[in-house]
Amino acid sequence: MNILLTGGAGYIGSHTAVVLSQAGHEVVLLDNFCNSSPSVLERLQKILGKALPCVEADVRNTDAVERVLREYKIDAVIHFAGLKAVGESVANPVLYYANNVQGSISLLQAMQKVGVKTLVFSSSATVYGEPQYLPYDEDHPTKPMNPYGQSKLQTEKILRDLAISDADWKITSLRYFNPVGAHESGLIGEDPNGIPNNLMPYIAKVASGELPHLNIFGDDYETRDGTGERDYIHVMDLAEGHEAAISYLENCCRGFEVINLGTGKSVSVLELISAYEEVIGCKIKKFITKKRPGDLPVYYAQANKAKKLLNWIAIRSVGDICETTQRFSAAKIIA
Ligand code: NAD
Ligand code: UFG
């Protein structure tokens, strides 16, 4: 298939590009590089042995998206393009609704014009909000706690309405849990600018000496060891989940379907740190600090629906996650 990846130069998009291209799909990237760098294209070329076409454009430019859909005879779109920092979304909600909701509407308008009606959407476990029960299954009530989560949920509602209005649409919304890790080559991975908000890139920066120590946000939660627990999923597992979703859309799905992509297991902050310490063979300097406002103690996925519909499960371990993160981090320093 000819597949367009909006936001394809980003963290999850670039790994998915590798998996799809290696599976024989023709992949086209579209990105405005607001949170990524064109240098990822050279690294993708090294991994794949060929260059992937990439168009620099904003998804909110409907005409530009329409041109790409026509020029590359696109059959399906995976819509990664979006902003994802929870704190920033609280400080600047308009930016998030404009980019994430308006961006999705613009993409859908372009797809409608060209008649491309197969779509995978990047959603998030954050749409569930405070757990009523765990693990979160796809029927868990949705009550996002911040504008970022709201922007994902509102987009899902638009997608559901669209699929009801026109039976030709095939749409899957994938709700990712906590994507971490890097490609085994160490050439691509997550490389946030400045001080990371998220645990895994923060650990990597402390391990490399870029940051002096890690702050653990609270150790008195009602969890196994008092620290927060999350469902960390290796980005290559996640990428393979997208390939499975594309096959599912091609072969079986009609209408709109929501599917969790997670491992179904939770790992605590201390457990993740100790797995990383094992990989690097030394201790990571850390302090317990106060809880981060808005953090939930624990959540993880009910991953059965992905297994049943997509024939997909996460296969990589926490050790794999730490090892590939460290490989990417070390390669970055040498480069
Ligand atoms: P990322 O920031 O690395 O990638 C997003 C890409 O989209 C970037 O390359 C950015 O430049 C591009 N982009 C943003 N707005 C754009 C626009 N208007 N037009 C064109 N390009 C635009 O983020 P990621 O971690 O790869 O996340 C991909 C998607 O998955 C996002 O929609 C995100 O909300 C969602 N998601 C991410 C996580 C996570 O923890 N990484 C969890 C759940 C859901
Ligand atoms: N944590 C620390 N220290 C840090 C960073 C995080 O102790 O420096 C802890 C947090 O308190 C939490 C755990 O590590 O217990 C994970 O935190 P992350 O910030 O890595 O991830 P979150 O689960 O808070 O949020 C992430 C993304 C959201 C997304 C959500 C669900 O940031 O955008 O996963 O997919 F919505």
Side-chain angles (χ1 to χ4, degrees), residues 88-235:
E88 189 184 44
S89 81
V90 175
N92 197 346
V94 176
L95 177 72
Y96 271 65
Y97 290 120
N99 202 77
N100 295 2
V101 182
Q102 203 175 314
S104 300
I105 292 172
S106 164
L107 169 68
L108 294 172
Q109 285 170 330
M111 290 176 74
Q112 273 184 321
K113 277 194 187 162
V114 183
V116 178
K117 295 183 176 180
T118 303
L119 175 70
V120 177
F121 174 60
S122 292
S123 188
S124 168
T126 199
V127 298
Y128 293 118
E130 194 96 45
Q132 311 292 305
Y133 56 85
L134 283 172
Y136 288 133
D137 59 28
E138 290 82 352
D139 297 323
H140 186 284
T142 47
K143 207 172 171 212
M145 292 157 66
N146 51 65
Y148 165 66
Q150 287 291 356
S151 76
K152 291 290 173 190
L153 188 59
Q154 290 189 7
T155 304
E156 284 193 357
K157 286 181 177 161
I158 294 168
L159 297 175
R160 184 175 280 113
D161 288 344
L162 177 61
I164 292 170
S165 76
D166 175 351
D168 289 342
W169 278 90
K170 301 166 166 201
I171 306 173
T172 299
S173 182
L174 300 177
R175 291 178 176 165
Y176 313 152
F177 281 69
N178 287 52
V180 283
H183 186 259
E184 43 269 24
S185 63
L187 286 167
I188 53 172
E190 189 177 20
D191 188 16
N193 290 330
I195 297 180
N197 291 312
N198 301 116
L199 180 61
M200 196 69 206
Y202 208 113
I203 292 177
K205 286 202 187 231
V206 174
S208 70
E210 281 176 76
L211 290 171
H213 65 266
L214 172 72
N215 294 312
I216 297 176
F217 299 145
D219 69 347
D220 58 354
Y221 284 112
E222 282 187 25
T223 56
R224 279 195 295 279
D225 59 24
T227 65
E229 290 175 27
R230 295 290 183 271
D231 185 337
Y232 296 99
I233 174 166
H234 196 297
V235 68

Side-chain angles (χ1 to χ4, degrees), residues 141-329:
T142 47
K143 207 172 171 212
M145 292 157 66
N146 51 65
Y148 165 66
Q150 287 291 356
S151 76
K152 291 290 173 190
L153 188 59
Q154 290 189 7
T155 304
E156 284 193 357
K157 286 181 177 161
I158 294 168
L159 297 175
R160 184 175 280 113
D161 288 344
L162 177 61
I164 292 170
S165 76
D166 175 351
D168 289 342
W169 278 90
K170 301 166 166 201
I171 306 173
T172 299
S173 182
L174 300 177
R175 291 178 176 165
Y176 313 152
F177 281 69
N178 287 52
V180 283
H183 186 259
E184 43 269 24
S185 63
L187 286 167
I188 53 172
E190 189 177 20
D191 188 16
N193 290 330
I195 297 180
N197 291 312
N198 301 116
L199 180 61
M200 196 69 206
Y202 208 113
I203 292 177
K205 286 202 187 231
V206 174
S208 70
E210 281 176 76
L211 290 171
H213 65 266
L214 172 72
N215 294 312
I216 297 176
F217 299 145
D219 69 347
D220 58 354
Y221 284 112
E222 282 187 25
T223 56
R224 279 195 295 279
D225 59 24
T227 65
E229 290 175 27
R230 295 290 183 271
D231 185 337
Y232 296 99
I233 174 166
H234 196 297
V235 68
M236 290 304 290
D237 280 331
L238 197 62
E240 288 164 8
H242 289 76
E243 187 203 345
I246 287 287
S247 305
Y248 170 66
L249 289 178
E250 208 180 351
N251 301 316
C252 349
C253 172
R254 286 254 166 271
F256 176 73
E257 201 72 65
V258 167
I259 304 177
N260 286 341
L261 289 187
T263 67
K265 284 180 286 235
S266 70
V267 172
S268 75
V269 173
L270 288 176
E271 286 164 349
L272 193 64
I273 296 169
S274 106
Y276 208 97
E277 289 174 337
E278 213 162 286
V279 166
I280 58 174
C282 62
K283 291 281 172 200
I284 285 167
K285 195 167 176 191
K286 50 199 172 287
F287 296 108
I288 307 292
T289 59
K290 59 181 191 316
K291 289 176 180 161
R292 184 169 63 177
D295 266 357
L296 292 166
V298 50
Y299 62 83
Y300 56 103
Q302 165 58 264
N304 288 351
K305 190 171 178 185
K307 188 175 176 192
K308 191 168 156 220
L309 295 187
L310 307 183
N311 195 22
W312 169 93
I313 54 165
I315 53 173
R316 292 164 179 84
S317 67
V318 176
D320 297 331
I321 285 170
C322 297
E323 230 173 271
T324 53
T325 303
Q326 174 59 18
R327 200 170 308 150
F328 173 66
S329 169

